[in-house]
């Protein structure tokens, strides 16, 4: 019986757990190659985008602001409020369906290339470890060594840098919700003046430090639901990082080294296992723990190049394409997701077009339908009281002027707040009264009246006409 290689990964339990169920810390080896080169380009762009975005302003307004307490949201120049539920629905539903479509076609592309868990661990925290403690062999040796002054100093430096990075990420994250200007103001004052936000900063920093610094791949294996969803969203035509069993098996070994012509291209070097951040053996097939980071592809291609063998023993492929079938993008699953995504996109655009920057509602005041008063000349006058609800949904302050359209000399508008100023996102009630002589009122057949509203603000000109009906004695 062949002796089991200690580097082999169990298929019956998580690779990050030992035989007693304790945490088996992983120290993935560094890798170079085509995909690693592109990750080194893409990850810094994502990191810079995350850090810089809350500081970008357009027309004096933060480009991305998710102000939950005030229920206002500014996203890439568009302003949304809590009552814009249809738009929010289309955005959330579109994101979920979009993720489903991406997964159905390209597998776990998000996990390996754009997930913050992968981006920050691989391109920030892991690099700090390499800088302070050395390569994966040196880090593993240091972890197993007894406590010493050198180990203490390296650990202290590493976690101090981790803390510094976590604080930067936390403050940038908070800027999305409170605003960059407000964040700078809070930093310059005593924490007691902003106790709630200070506690949020402390808690979020602790979570990031714990997750990116220590928990790491356990989040992907234990907590993240996306790995579980992939089994539902993917099929045999979905792209994934796969091992070509037909080409690689049987693997080369010392026991059958005399039968090279009957052996596959895999030399059983375990290089693909040593570079995997979740510690799996990709040769065991598609697994929930695989985050499609492509490290094993680069590692295997490097070995194949040294052996003068064709690259691609481990590659992006679908299970169908490994059996010599062509890749099929147009299948019921992807067509259904595409149709739903197009429907949601059209709904979003239509709702966005129909969204009014200024919302007007004219209603009769809650009191008696009309009042009869005696004027200075002793004549009776009828007064109707109305109020206008103005909701400013634009990204600037607006001024609204209103008057009787095609003004008739019989009617007089009394408005204490005309023109009315409404700040960005503000809801405001303005009142006006329509006064008419009692005798004139009785002689008028059409009791309806048109009120014209003219609103102007930064880059905004809006005219709207509302019709009201006057009430009085018959």
């Amino acid at each position: 019986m062949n002796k089991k290689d200690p580097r082999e990964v169990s298929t019956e339990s998580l690779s990050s757990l030992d035989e007693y169920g304790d945490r088996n810390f992983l120290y993935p080896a560094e890798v170079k190659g085509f995909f690693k080169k592109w990750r080194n380009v893409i990850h810094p762009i994502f990191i810079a985008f995350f850090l810089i975005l809350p500081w970008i302003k357009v027309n004096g307004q933060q480009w991305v602001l998710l102000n939950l307490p005030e229920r206002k949201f500014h996203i890439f120049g568009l302003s949304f409020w809590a009552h814009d539920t249809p738009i929010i629905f289309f955005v959330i539903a579109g994101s979920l369906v979009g993720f489903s479509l991406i997964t159905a076609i390209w597998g776990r592309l998000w996990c390996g290339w754009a997930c913050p868990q992968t981006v920050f661990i691989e391109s920030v925290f892991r690099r700090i470890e390499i800088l302070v403690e050395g390569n994966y062999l040196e880090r593993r040796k240091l972890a197993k060594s007894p406590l010493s002054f050198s180990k203490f100093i390296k650990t202290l430096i590493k976690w101090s840098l981790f803390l510094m990075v976590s604080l930067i990420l936390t403050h940038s994250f908070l800027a999305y919700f409170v605003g960059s200007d407000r964040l700078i103001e809070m930093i310059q004052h005593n924490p007691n003046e902003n106790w709630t936000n200070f506690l949020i900063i402390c808690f979020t920093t602790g979570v990031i430090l714990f997750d990116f610094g220590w928990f790491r791949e356990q989040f992907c294996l234990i907590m993240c639901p996306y790995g579980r969803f992939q089994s539902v969203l993917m099929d045999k035509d979905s792209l994934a990082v796969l091992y070509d069993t037909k080409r690689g098996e049987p693997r080369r070994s010392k026991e059958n080294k005399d039968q090279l012509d009957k052996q596959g291209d895999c030399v059983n070097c375990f290089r693909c296992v040593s570079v995997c951040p979740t510690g799996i053996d990709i040769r065991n097939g598609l697994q929930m723990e695989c985050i499609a980071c492509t490290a094993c592809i680069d590692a295997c291609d490097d070995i194949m190049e040294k052996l003068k063998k064709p690259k691609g023993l481990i590659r992006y492929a679908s299970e169908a394409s490994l059996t010599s079938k062509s890749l099929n993008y147009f299948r019921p699953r992807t067509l259904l997701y595409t149709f739903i995504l197009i429907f949601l996109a059209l709904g979003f655009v239509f709702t966005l077009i129909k969204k009014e920057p200024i919302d007007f509602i004219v209603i009769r005041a809650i009191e008696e339908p009309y009042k009869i008063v005696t004027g200075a000349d002793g004549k009776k006058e009828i007064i109707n009281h109305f109020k206008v609800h103005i909701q400013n949904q634009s990204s600037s302050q607006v001024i609204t002027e209103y008057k009787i359209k095609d003004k008739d000399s019989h009617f007089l508008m009394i408005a204490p707040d005309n023109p009315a100023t409404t700040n960005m996102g503000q809801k405001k009630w303005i009142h006006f009264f329509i006064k008419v002589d009692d005798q004139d009122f009785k002689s008028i057949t059409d009791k309806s009246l048109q009120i014209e509203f003219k609103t102007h603000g930064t880059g905004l000109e809006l005219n709207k006409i509302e019709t009201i009906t006057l009430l009085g004695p018959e």
Side-chain angles (χ1 to χ4, degrees):
M1 182 180 293
N2 294 336
K3 185 178 179 181
K4 183 178 179 180
D5 194 309
R7 296 174 296 177
E8 287 188 12
V9 178
S10 172
T11 58
E12 299 178 357
S13 63
L14 291 175
S15 56
S16 59
L17 301 177
D18 61 19
E19 56 184 330
Y20 303 105
D22 295 328
R23 171 83 178 274
N24 179 26
F25 285 89
L26 302 177
Y27 301 92
E30 294 76 40
V31 65
K32 295 180 180 180
F34 175 81
F35 291 104
K36 178 63 176 179
K37 179 183 70 176
W38 278 106
R39 286 206 308 275
N40 288 340
V41 172
I42 294 174
H43 285 185
I45 294 175
F46 286 155
I47 294 172
F49 185 76
F50 170 77
L51 296 176
I52 296 174
L53 193 58
W55 304 94
I56 298 176
K57 292 186 178 182
V58 178
N59 295 326
Q61 179 63 52
Q62 187 169 318
W63 212 26
V64 176
L65 177 63
L66 310 174
N67 193 329
L68 296 178
E70 297 182 14
R71 297 179 294 280
K72 64 180 180 180
F73 310 92
H74 302 287
I75 303 175
F76 304 130
L78 300 175
S79 298
F80 304 100
W81 310 93
H83 59 271
D84 292 322
T85 306
I87 298 178
I88 297 174
F89 164 76
F90 286 121
V91 171
I92 296 175
S95 300
L96 293 176
V97 176
F99 265 110
S100 301
L101 178 61
I102 290 173
T103 306
I105 298 176
W106 294 293
R108 296 182 70 172
L109 183 71
W110 164 263
C111 293
W113 292 86
C115 178
Q117 185 81 6
T118 302
V119 171
F120 286 111
I121 290 176
E122 294 299 326
S123 295
V124 180
F125 285 78
R126 195 94 70 191
R127 290 178 182 270
I128 292 175
E129 279 190 346
I130 295 173
L131 178 65
V132 176
E133 297 179 344
N135 61 35
Y136 75 106
L137 294 175
E138 294 171 327
R139 298 200 305 275
R140 184 184 300 164
K141 180 179 179 181
L142 182 67
K144 294 180 179 180
S145 66
L147 182 63
S148 63
F149 180 76
S150 175
K151 182 177 181 178
F152 173 77
I153 292 297
K154 288 182 178 181
T155 304
L156 179 63
I157 294 174
K158 180 182 72 173
W159 282 96
S160 297
L161 293 174
F162 282 176
L163 177 60
M164 186 184 303
V165 172
S166 299
L167 285 169
I168 294 173
L169 297 181
T170 303
H171 283 78
S172 296
F173 180 72
L174 186 63
Y176 283 93
F177 298 93
V178 301
S180 54
D181 293 338
R182 174 64 177 149
L183 177 65
I184 294 176
E185 181 184 341
M186 288 190 295
I187 292 174
Q188 296 173 344
H189 290 78
N190 193 304
N192 290 328
E193 299 178 20
N194 303 281
W195 191 246
T196 301
N197 288 318
F198 178 73
L199 291 178
I200 292 174
I201 284 286
C202 293
F203 175 77
T204 310
T205 301
V207 169
I208 292 177
L209 191 62
F210 168 77
D211 182 23
F212 294 167
W214 186 83
F215 200 53
R216 295 193 173 178
E217 77 284 344
Q218 297 298 297
F219 179 85
C220 303
L221 305 181
I222 300 172
M223 297 181 63
C224 182
Y226 189 47
R228 278 81 177 166
F229 290 153
Q230 71 169 344
S231 59
V232 179
L233 300 173
M234 295 175 65
D235 54 26
K236 291 186 178 181
D237 286 296
S238 301
L239 283 176
V241 176
L242 296 175
Y243 167 67
D244 191 344
T245 307
K246 187 181 296 185
R247 175 185 160 188
E249 300 294 328
R251 303 172 194 174
R252 299 189 187 187
S253 63
K254 294 180 180 179
E255 286 76 9
N256 56 3
K257 62 182 179 180
D258 296 330
Q259 302 177 354
L260 292 177
D261 57 327
K262 297 181 180 180
Q263 295 180 6
D265 285 350
C266 179
V267 296
N268 212 27
C269 64
F270 288 91
R271 177 65 176 164
C272 57
V273 178
S274 67
V275 301
C276 180
T278 58
I280 67 169
D281 189 338
I282 195 63
R283 297 172 298 177
N284 292 333
L286 185 62
Q287 300 157 68
M288 181 199 72
E289 297 92 334
C290 177
I291 60 172
C293 67
T294 67
C296 55
I297 298 180
D298 285 333
C300 186
D301 283 348
D302 182 51
I303 297 298
M304 291 297 105
E305 191 173 9
K306 291 177 180 178
L307 295 175
K308 302 188 184 308
K309 293 281 186 178
K311 296 180 181 180
L313 180 59
I314 301 174
R315 63 183 183 271
Y316 263 127
S318 66
E319 292 182 353
S321 66
L322 289 180
T323 57
S324 301
K325 294 182 180 179
S326 60
L327 194 61
N328 180 22
Y329 290 105
F330 304 101
R331 50 193 193 274
R333 182 189 300 263
T334 57
L335 292 176
L336 177 62
Y337 291 153
T338 303
F339 173 78
I340 297 175
L341 190 60
I342 292 174
F343 172 77
L344 292 171
L346 291 175
F348 173 76
V349 172
F350 176 77
T351 308
L352 202 60
I353 292 174
K354 296 292 289 183
K355 180 177 180 289
E356 293 285 352
I358 308 296
D359 185 40
F360 291 96
I361 299 178
V362 180
I363 62 175
R364 188 176 297 276
I366 304 175
E367 52 190 33
E368 59 267 42
Y370 59 91
K371 288 183 179 181
I372 299 178
V373 298
T374 302
D377 54 0
K379 292 183 179 181
K380 290 185 178 180
E381 297 174 329
I382 298 173
I383 296 179
N384 282 242
H385 180 192
F386 296 90
K387 58 181 181 179
V388 184
H389 183 257
I390 300 180
Q391 186 164 317
N392 183 4
Q393 302 177 133
S394 70
S395 57
S396 65
Q397 184 187 75
V398 297
I399 298 174
T400 303
E401 301 179 63
Y402 47 104
K403 64 179 181 179
I404 300 173
K405 189 175 185 297
D406 301 326
K407 186 173 181 180
D408 194 308
S409 59
H410 295 105
F411 302 100
L412 176 65
M413 173 184 280
I414 302 172
D417 190 14
N418 189 10
T421 301
T422 312
N423 295 322
M424 177 186 64
Q426 184 182 14
K427 299 177 182 179
K428 187 172 185 178
W429 288 101
I430 59 175
H431 297 257
F432 67 89
F433 303 84
I434 301 296
K435 185 169 69 171
V436 60
D437 184 86
D438 179 49
Q439 296 301 319
D440 291 337
F441 180 82
K442 291 178 180 179
S443 64
I444 298 172
T445 305
D446 186 7
K447 302 295 194 297
S448 62
L449 197 65
Q450 289 186 326
I451 307 298
E452 183 179 16
F453 295 89
K454 290 187 177 181
T455 303
H456 57 90
T458 304
L460 176 67
E461 292 290 338
L462 179 66
N463 292 342
K464 191 168 185 179
I465 297 175
E466 293 284 342
T467 302
I468 61 175
T469 301
L470 301 180
L471 299 178
E474 291 297 332

